[in-house]
Amino acid sequence: MASLKDVAKLANVSLMTVSRALNSPQCLKPETYQRVKQAIEALNYVPDLSAKKIRGARATPKTIGVLALDTVTTPFSVEMTLSIEETARAHGWNSFVINMFMSDCVDDIVDLLLSHRPAGIIYTTMGLRQVPVPPKLLDLPCVLANCESEQGGVASYIPDDEQGQYDGMCALLNAGYRKPLCIHLPQERLATTRRRQGLERAWREFSLDPQSLWQHYLRLGDEYYLDAVSIVERYLQQGKPQFDSVVCGNDRVAFLVYQTLLAKGIRIPEDVAVLGYDNLVGIGDLFLPSLTTVQLPHYEIGRLSTLHIINHLERRDVTRVASPLLRRNSL
């Protein structure tokens, strides 16, 4: 692979002149710039980011650095990172991703991210949570995607979980269901509280008492969704459901609810309706019958976060992005 020295030698100029051609071409005479450009093309030279750092470049023009906390370990990472890259490219920008895991030293990962000299930063997480934003990130335009700052004062784009669950419950109520079994995600999760608020808001608007709802929280842990089976079975009497619908914390829970009900000869939606949440990538259409669910807007969150950087937006509030109800055949 050709080096900076190779380019300088072929163009018969100094290393400093090649550096200026790469970073500040307007500072060179047109004929000098053309000579360096021709040498770069002849050698297929690719600029070295670390070399640019050493030469003092302050930022990689039109590049967004993505700090992804636990994001790569989930299927939703595809939607988020794809959206960021597609939106950046459409506007003539580039993007790169640095993955960070809970076991990593935050300072080391942040330094690695900043060593690439991005012009702006998107900090993403899976799922929705509050995070301490490392102070170093705030030296550049910074936006949070699918998370909120513990300190506040940083622009954030998050799902509108309260409205999403409200719309889902309204769909059940408008269809005539009045005995839902609600299986919430673990109570410790930020989205859980907001979704329950939306569910109960819809219930009250139909002049119904939220105290009459059967509501259960799953345990915190990697396999929390397995508890859904015992919760459903608790509300079966001689194989017949006491409930007419199941509101599921996510599509994984809905998958287990389907298995439990169908194995006992309970039909969906003729006997019991099922409502999911997330629109799990590649899974929603595999349910038989197809699952009605609320979609987490990760693609739109990625797009809006990227545009926030590109358009140099100055607002620092929290933007709730619509989580649409996807009507299918389970209710």
Side-chain angles (χ1 to χ4, degrees), residues 47-60:
D48 186 338
L49 284 176
S50 61
K52 291 180 74 175
K53 173 189 171 185
I54 293 170
R55 293 193 299 275
R58 298 182 64 185
T60 304

Side-chain angles (χ1 to χ4, degrees), residues 104-283:
D104 285 328
C105 173
V106 176
D107 289 340
D108 290 345
I109 298 299
V110 169
D111 287 345
L112 175 61
L113 175 75
L114 297 178
S115 71
H116 290 267
R117 297 299 191 263
I121 295 167
I122 298 175
Y123 187 175
T124 76
T125 65
M126 292 290 168
L128 180 66
R129 66 186 80 175
Q130 291 184 329
V131 295
V133 181
K136 287 183 180 180
L137 296 184
L138 302 180
D139 291 336
L140 292 171
C142 179
V143 61
L144 306 183
N146 203 47
C147 55
E148 303 171 15
S149 169
E150 288 183 354
Q151 308 97 311
V154 183
S156 303
Y157 292 86
I158 64 170
D160 193 344
D161 281 300
E162 198 271 349
Q163 185 66 37
Q165 192 70 80
Y166 169 85
D167 290 341
M169 178 54 78
C170 283
L172 282 173
L173 290 167
N174 283 322
Y177 298 98
R178 293 296 185 273
K179 295 181 179 180
L181 172 60
C182 306
I183 304 177
H184 298 295
L185 295 180
Q187 193 167 9
E188 295 83 354
R189 296 196 176 191
L190 188 58
T192 303
T193 299
R194 296 175 184 178
R195 293 181 190 178
R196 178 164 180 166
Q197 289 170 348
L199 182 151
E200 293 183 352
R201 175 162 67 94
W203 200 252
R204 285 191 297 270
E205 288 185 5
F206 276 73
S207 300
L208 300 169
D209 183 4
Q211 295 297 322
S212 66
L213 285 166
W214 290 320
Q215 302 198 65
H216 294 269
Y217 291 104
L218 298 172
R219 294 175 298 166
L220 191 64
D222 291 338
E223 297 183 347
Y224 60 85
Y225 50 89
L226 295 176
D227 293 342
V229 175
S230 60
I231 293 173
V232 169
E233 290 178 340
R234 197 181 313 168
Y235 288 86
L236 299 178
Q237 290 185 349
Q238 298 180 342
K240 295 186 178 298
Q242 297 176 261
F243 48 87
D244 62 8
S245 53
V246 184
V247 177
C248 303
N250 62 23
D251 293 348
R252 284 185 177 184
V253 173
F255 183 76
L256 286 171
V257 169
Y258 263 56
Q259 288 184 299
T260 305
L261 295 178
L262 295 175
K264 296 181 180 299
I266 299 170
R267 300 169 300 170
I268 303 170
E270 292 85 356
D271 300 321
V272 172
V274 179
L275 174 67
Y277 209 107
D278 288 358
N279 193 37
L280 190 62
V281 178
I283 299 298

